[in-house]
Amino acid sequence: METKFSRATLFCRNIERSLVLYRDILQLKVIDDKTIDGPAAGGLLGLGPCKLRIVLLGDSDSDAEWAHLGLFQISDTEISALPRPPNNMALGQNAIVFSTDDFDNVVARLQDAETIFLTEPVSYPKPSNSPGSPAGLYKEAICFDPDGHLVSIMQILPLASD
């Protein structure tokens, strides 16, 4: 049996606000933007008839054809909403991690958009390689998306060799 990660999906209160972060600031590429209406949309989510807007986003490189993040917005039906998470670390929260080669500019765009940060930009060295985590100088900042999901932005710079 083979299982592969396909994508993460976020259910948004306001998909346009979420697109400002994920598409405009983080510059993910829109792979698909569609709306499904009626019983089929609701059946997919265990709801009655509704409208479901789905925006699938992939890596920013121009050849990206595979979506790694789905933004979904449900409308035209009654649906409960989870309370917004607190603006601090809490058990049960999730985080999405993005790597960039332009950390300082991404953080500046987030700050210009008045994004709320859990962790302001920090740098820390990781002196040795480990599986899935290379040695380097790590630059990282963690902010909240419009629905309160944690979004980590990081850049790994090679350590100077002796």
Side-chain angles (χ1 to χ4, degrees):
M1 180 177 132
E2 183 177 3
T3 302
K4 293 183 178 181
F5 178 78
S6 180
R7 72 168 180 267
T9 297
L10 302 176
F11 290 89
C12 306
R13 288 173 175 84
N14 182 320
I15 204 166
E16 290 301 326
R17 286 186 59 215
S18 294
L19 284 168
V20 168
L21 173 69
Y22 294 105
R23 179 195 59 209
D24 301 342
I25 295 174
L26 297 180
Q27 298 181 342
L28 297 178
K29 179 181 174 185
V30 174
I31 305 296
D32 196 8
D33 186 342
K34 61 189 169 197
T35 301
I36 303 170
D37 246 334
L44 181 64
L45 302 170
L47 300 171
C50 65
K51 184 184 286 187
L52 177 60
R53 181 172 175 202
I54 300 170
V55 178
L56 302 177
L57 301 155
D59 292 335
S60 60
D61 58 13
S62 59
D63 294 333
E65 293 181 9
W66 189 256
H68 298 290
L69 180 64
L71 302 179
F72 285 40
Q73 183 174 332
I74 301 164
S75 58
D76 294 350
T77 190
E78 290 292 320
I79 186 166
S80 59
L82 293 173
R84 283 185 55 85
N87 287 342
N88 58 354
M89 193 65 228
L91 294 177
Q93 283 180 315
N94 56 44
I96 304 170
V97 180
F98 294 94
S99 63
T100 181
D101 61 0
D102 197 17
F103 180 83
D104 295 330
N105 284 326
V106 171
V107 168
R109 290 194 305 267
L110 290 166
Q111 291 167 332
D112 288 346
E114 300 180 2
T115 304
I116 298 171
F117 283 83
L118 171 72
T119 307
E120 293 291 333
V122 297
S123 296
Y124 53 92
K126 183 176 183 294
S128 59
N129 286 318
S130 58
S133 183
L137 177 66
Y138 282 59
K139 297 171 83 172
E140 188 167 4
I142 303 172
C143 64
F144 294 92
D145 83 354
D147 289 291
H149 300 289
L150 292 173
V151 176
S152 174
I153 311 299
M154 70 171 14
Q155 182 173 9
I156 305 170
L157 302 168
L159 290 176
S161 57
D162 295 332

